[in-house]
Amino acid sequence: MVTHAYPQYYLNDAQENLGIMFDYALRTLHYDGDKFFLYFIQSEVAAKFEHANPKYIAGISGIEMCEKVLLKIDKKVPASPRYSHEIISKQGPEFWTGWILAYYQWYSGLHFSDLQEYGLVPSEILSRYILHEADISKFVETANKIILKNKAASPTHLQKLRKAQGLTQAQLADLSGVSLRMIQLYEQRQNDINKASGETINALARALCCNFYEVMEINLAE
């Protein structure tokens, strides 16, 4: 069962605001979509948004949110007619990109950084703009396929965290008390780390100096 990111009554406002932010950033300010998406994540505005912080969901406009992203990463905020509705198009692919990203992040419960890591980025979404005419479930199905394909081809979170700490598998086994063979199976995805005991995941997280959930993999309803 999919656990949504936040209560559904926030969703319409979230989609509207993210749609406006992307339309403004891409169409008016001419940012590359993938680069702006990375700015959104790096600014930590994404983290506040995905946890339904009321200020970012509905307290400010999508244009103001775009400006906060740019300010937080030390980019110049242009002097634009910020509050003119004429500069926003709610019909085009740029708005739809933000609108559907907000929906999928809410629906999947994944972080925006997960979506970026596994290739669900604006350029991929824009290339599938035809899906705006289909039922939203078609986009969810397509997004799941993109993420699962890229997940299978990428290192596990456990492997990336281990290497970031400069540890070999054997050293991690010694530090955590989890057997070397189990660590190998988790990193090779032969065993699903999400099905490991809480004790095992906690031991790995402590050894890697990270959060319990950082060790786990994304989980999509296929």
Side-chain angles (χ1 to χ4, degrees):
M1 181 178 178
V2 176
T3 301
H4 299 317
Y6 46 82
Q8 189 170 3
Y9 52 78
Y10 289 114
L11 182 58
N12 286 341
D13 286 338
Q15 288 182 269
E16 174 94 355
N17 245 12
L18 212 66
I20 289 172
M21 184 186 76
F22 270 89
D23 185 82
Y24 182 63
L26 275 59
R27 201 171 56 83
T28 302
L29 302 185
H30 306 294
Y31 275 100
D32 172 79
D34 293 356
K35 183 174 289 187
F36 181 78
F37 190 40
L38 185 59
Y39 292 162
F40 176 53
I41 293 164
Q42 291 173 335
S43 72
E44 299 184 356
V45 171
K48 293 180 173 66
F49 187 93
E50 68 196 19
H51 289 102
N53 182 314
K55 175 180 178 180
Y56 292 90
I57 293 290
I60 59 176
S61 71
I63 293 175
E64 290 173 299
M65 188 159 62
C66 176
E67 291 173 345
K68 284 190 176 294
V69 167
L70 297 177
L71 285 169
K72 284 179 178 289
I73 60 165
D74 297 323
K75 296 289 182 182
K76 184 179 179 181
V77 176
S80 299
R82 299 193 304 169
Y83 304 109
S84 169
H85 294 293
E86 294 177 1
I87 64 174
I88 296 298
S89 170
K90 296 183 181 180
Q91 306 299 320
E94 295 84 4
F95 177 87
W96 181 76
T97 294
W99 184 89
I100 201 68
L101 260 175
Y103 179 85
Y104 186 77
Q105 189 276 321
W106 167 81
Y107 176 86
S108 67
L110 300 176
H111 299 299
F112 286 110
S113 57
D114 293 325
L115 307 188
Q116 195 271 341
E117 179 180 358
Y118 292 112
L120 191 65
V121 292
S123 59
E124 288 287 339
I125 296 171
L126 284 163
S127 71
R128 292 167 172 81
Y129 180 56
I130 193 170
L131 291 175
H132 82 285
E133 299 176 342
D135 185 86
I136 203 164
S137 63
K138 295 295 184 183
F139 179 83
V140 169
E141 180 182 337
T142 298
N144 285 350
K145 287 179 180 177
I146 292 169
I147 288 174
L148 291 169
K149 177 183 176 182
N150 289 321
K151 173 189 170 186
S154 67
T156 63
H157 288 173
L158 179 62
Q159 182 179 350
K160 286 186 283 188
L161 289 164
R162 174 178 62 77
K163 289 186 173 181
Q165 292 291 330
L167 299 172
T168 65
Q169 291 177 331
Q171 288 170 329
L172 178 57
D174 288 340
L175 285 171
S176 66
V178 178
S179 74
L180 173 59
R181 183 56 182 154
M182 289 305 296
I183 289 171
Q184 291 170 338
L185 290 172
Y186 290 139
E187 290 196 1
Q188 294 164 7
R189 291 197 171 93
Q190 292 185 45
N191 280 9
D192 184 354
I193 198 167
N194 291 354
K195 296 180 181 177
S197 69
E199 181 181 356
T200 295
I201 297 176
N202 265 326
L204 290 167
R206 284 196 299 270
L208 293 165
C209 303
C210 68
N211 183 281
F212 180 100
Y213 295 103
E214 290 179 84
V215 177
M216 299 174 71
E217 294 294 303
I218 64 170
N219 184 25
L220 294 175
E222 298 185 54

